[in-house]
């Protein structure tokens, strides 16, 4: 192979590589935009669900006794305190992780952030499980109290 042919082949390979890189970057950018749009939609529905839960809670509290209200306020304060501690710990870990350089292709912080998000989703799912158990207990208690009224 002549030197000129080799250089022409290298130049052609470089051109093809640049085209592929451009296509890959465009695809990655599109995927990133899609992920951000999904995150925004998730956040919007989460806010709507939270508003609905708050509305239901206000309705329940209107009919509750003073003792139940006081106990609820105490639980709510405890949960808020625990959540704030978790949030602060998350911020500390995020600050430490932002200094990372390892991970997949040198994307230590990006890898950490994905793992953190997955962990928070798992935690939220556990809390949803607790909420489902509470709803089941409430439904069962209402059914039992309804049975007593009928007899």
């Amino acid at each position: 192979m002549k030197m000129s042919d080799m250089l022409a082949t290298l130049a052609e390979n470089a051109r093809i590589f640049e085209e592929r890189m451009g296509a890959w970057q465009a695809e990655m950018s599109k995927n990133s935009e899609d992920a951000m749009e999904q995150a925004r939609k998730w956040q919007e529905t989460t806010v709507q669900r939270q508003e609905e839960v708050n509305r239901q809670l206000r309705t329940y509290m209107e009919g509750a006794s003073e003792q139940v209200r006081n106990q609820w306020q105490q639980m709510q304060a405890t949960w808020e305190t625990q959540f704030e501690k978790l949030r602060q710990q998350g911020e500390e870990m995020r600050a430490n992780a932002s200094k990372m350089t390892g991970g997949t292709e040198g994307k230590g912080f990006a890898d950490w952030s994905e793992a953190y998000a997955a962990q928070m989703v798992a935690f939220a799912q556990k809390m949803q499980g607790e909420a489902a158990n509470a709803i089941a207990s409430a439904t069962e208690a209402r059914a039992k109290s309804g049975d007593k009224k009928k007899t």
Side-chain angles (χ1 to χ4, degrees):
M1 179 179 254
K2 292 190 223 175
M3 184 67 113
S4 60
D5 291 341
M6 190 183 324
L7 291 174
T9 301
L10 285 173
E12 179 62 18
N13 288 342
R15 186 190 63 74
I16 291 170
F17 179 73
E18 286 175 357
E19 287 176 1
R20 287 183 181 167
M21 281 297 293
W24 291 334
Q25 287 175 338
E27 186 65 26
M28 288 175 61
S29 177
K30 180 181 177 271
N31 289 341
S32 177
E33 290 170 9
D34 289 346
M36 289 302 293
E37 181 60 28
Q38 288 176 354
R40 279 191 287 276
K41 286 179 183 177
W42 178 83
Q43 189 174 25
E44 288 172 8
T45 58
T46 300
V47 168
Q48 291 171 351
R49 281 182 283 179
Q50 185 61 46
E51 289 172 355
E52 177 63 22
V53 167
N54 290 343
R55 186 189 62 72
Q56 288 177 350
L57 183 59
R58 283 191 299 273
T59 302
Y60 294 145
M61 288 296 117
E62 287 173 2
S65 69
E66 191 64 31
Q67 182 181 8
V68 169
R69 287 184 194 147
N70 290 338
Q71 185 179 17
W72 172 255
Q73 288 173 348
Q74 184 180 11
M75 280 191 317
Q76 183 68 24
T78 300
W79 290 338
E80 292 295 332
T81 301
Q82 290 173 346
F83 175 78
E84 185 57 30
K85 286 179 185 176
L86 283 173
R87 192 194 62 74
Q88 287 174 354
Q89 288 174 340
E91 288 301 319
E92 290 172 12
M93 288 186 278
R94 188 181 338 276
N96 290 337
S98 68
K99 300 171 188 168
M100 294 171 56
T101 56
T104 307
E105 298 176 10
K107 307 287 187 203
F109 183 66
D111 290 346
W112 180 89
S113 295
E114 287 176 353
Y116 181 79
Q119 185 64 32
M120 289 297 100
V121 167
F123 181 75
Q125 288 173 339
K126 285 181 186 178
M127 294 305 292
Q128 285 178 328
E130 278 296 308
N133 289 339
I135 290 168
S137 295
T139 302
E140 187 177 303
R142 289 194 191 282
K144 286 180 182 176
S145 67
D147 289 343
K148 289 180 183 177
K149 289 180 183 178
K150 290 179 183 178
T151 56

